[in-house]
Each structure stands twice: as structure tokens, then as C-alpha cells.
Amino acid sequence: MIRIIAVAALTLLLVFVLYLPAANPPERFLNQIHSEHELNTATWSEARAVLILERALSMNQALSAASPVPTSAQAPGTDRMAEAVAQEMARVNQRFFGNTYFRSIDAQLLLATYRLAALIEWLPLQAFVIIATVIDGFVVRILRAKQFKPHDPEWFALHASAFVLMACASIVAFVTPITISPVLLAMLPVSGAFFLSRVVANFHRHG
């Protein structure tokens, strides 16, 4: 059951991620970043909101640098033939990747990195709760094994499926141009840690 849910969730995730840039122009994603930047300014402060924005831009630049799409700068420029090849490659890239769909993908990626940067801002405040929740799952698992209590495969499958669905839904939410409040964003790591701890607690362990 877990495999079926995982495959179905990942398939739907891929469909949504590829569909959203076709249904929304680049400006829609950029306006969403502006809107959530104002929310982060109200929640944190202007200085920390700017820090989140700078972190997102840095992450986005790192991802762009790791892109496999060739650029004219990557072509050798030692002679006229190489220069002609570089210019032709730049024109091909512009025709293929310069359309609205790919510009929407770039804006979608920027929105996702911005939300990830905002999520990172919450992690130091949540680290103790997340670690304690996961450790609790390991402790429960060990105690059940020592007491010879049988594990519960139904609860294991339920929580594992819930964890997979939550992870995929979170990714979809990160790339969807709808407003996600900072408080809702802060709930994601804690909720994920809870489901993960229940998965660990109900996983079979030989004493």
C-alpha cells in the first residue's frame, strides 16, 4: 500500500509541478513573493525579512549555476569558429528557454527557494521540538522490543503514507502561487517530525 501511495503521490506531484508554470505567468509567482515578503516583515522584522530574501536569492543563484543548460560563456572563445558556435548556441537557448513557460519555471523555482529560505528561519526555534519528537519515536520502538510487544503494521503503514503524502503536498504548496502564512509554514517541520516519529515507533525491531 505504501508503494502505491508513494508512486501515485510522486506522479501527481510531477504533474502539478509541470502544469503550474503553464497555467500561471511569471508575474504571478513574483507577485506572490512580494506578498509573502510583506507577511514575513510583519511576522519577523524588516531586517530578518530582508535576510530571508537575500538567502533565497543566494540559493537561487547557486541552483542556476548548477543548471545543465549550456550558455555562451561555457563555449570556447579562442577563434572565430568557436565564437560563431557560441553565438549560435546562445540563439538556440534564447529560442528554446526564453519562452513564457520556462520563464514561469524560473519564477516558480524562485518562489520555492524563497519559501525554503523562510522555513530555514524557523528551524533554530524548532530544533529542540523536532529532535525530541524523533527521539521519542526511537525510544518507544526500543521499549516495545524490550517488552516483546508486537509492532503495529497498520499504524506503521498509515503514518508512513501520511508522511509521504505530507511531503509531496508540501512540495506542491511550495511551488504553488497561493499565500502561505509564516505560521502555517512553521508547522510543516513539526508535523513531519511527528509522522516520522510514529513511523519509527511502529517499525518492527527485534530485541
Side-chain angles (χ1 to χ4, degrees), residues 91-103:
R91 285 194 293 267
V92 171
N93 286 344
Q94 179 62 31
R95 287 196 297 267
F96 188 74
F97 295 101
N99 56 49
T100 303
Y101 181 77
F102 281 99
R103 285 190 284 111

Side-chain angles (χ1 to χ4, degrees), residues 79-190:
D79 52 35
R80 292 183 178 179
M81 180 62 71
E83 183 178 355
V85 171
Q87 292 176 355
E88 182 62 25
M89 183 172 63
R91 285 194 293 267
V92 171
N93 286 344
Q94 179 62 31
R95 287 196 297 267
F96 188 74
F97 295 101
N99 56 49
T100 303
Y101 181 77
F102 281 99
R103 285 190 284 111
S104 292
I105 288 181
D106 289 337
Q108 182 188 46
L109 179 61
L110 181 59
L111 175 62
T113 53
Y114 178 78
R115 287 171 171 170
L116 180 60
L119 181 62
I120 292 174
E121 196 70 18
W122 284 101
L123 291 182
L125 303 177
Q126 301 173 324
F128 177 78
V129 176
I130 293 173
I131 294 174
T133 303
V134 175
I135 290 177
D136 176 72
F138 281 99
V139 171
V140 171
R141 180 186 176 200
I142 293 172
L143 291 177
R144 285 180 178 175
K146 297 299 182 183
Q147 296 172 359
F148 300 103
K149 290 184 177 180
H151 71 292
D152 195 329
E154 289 80 12
W155 279 110
F156 170 79
L158 178 63
H159 286 107
S161 300
F163 180 79
V164 171
L165 291 175
M166 179 183 172
C168 292
S170 299
I171 296 174
V172 171
F174 265 49
V175 299
T176 303
I178 58 174
T179 300
I180 300 179
S181 68
V183 176
L184 180 60
L185 192 66
M187 293 173 58
L188 293 179
V190 176

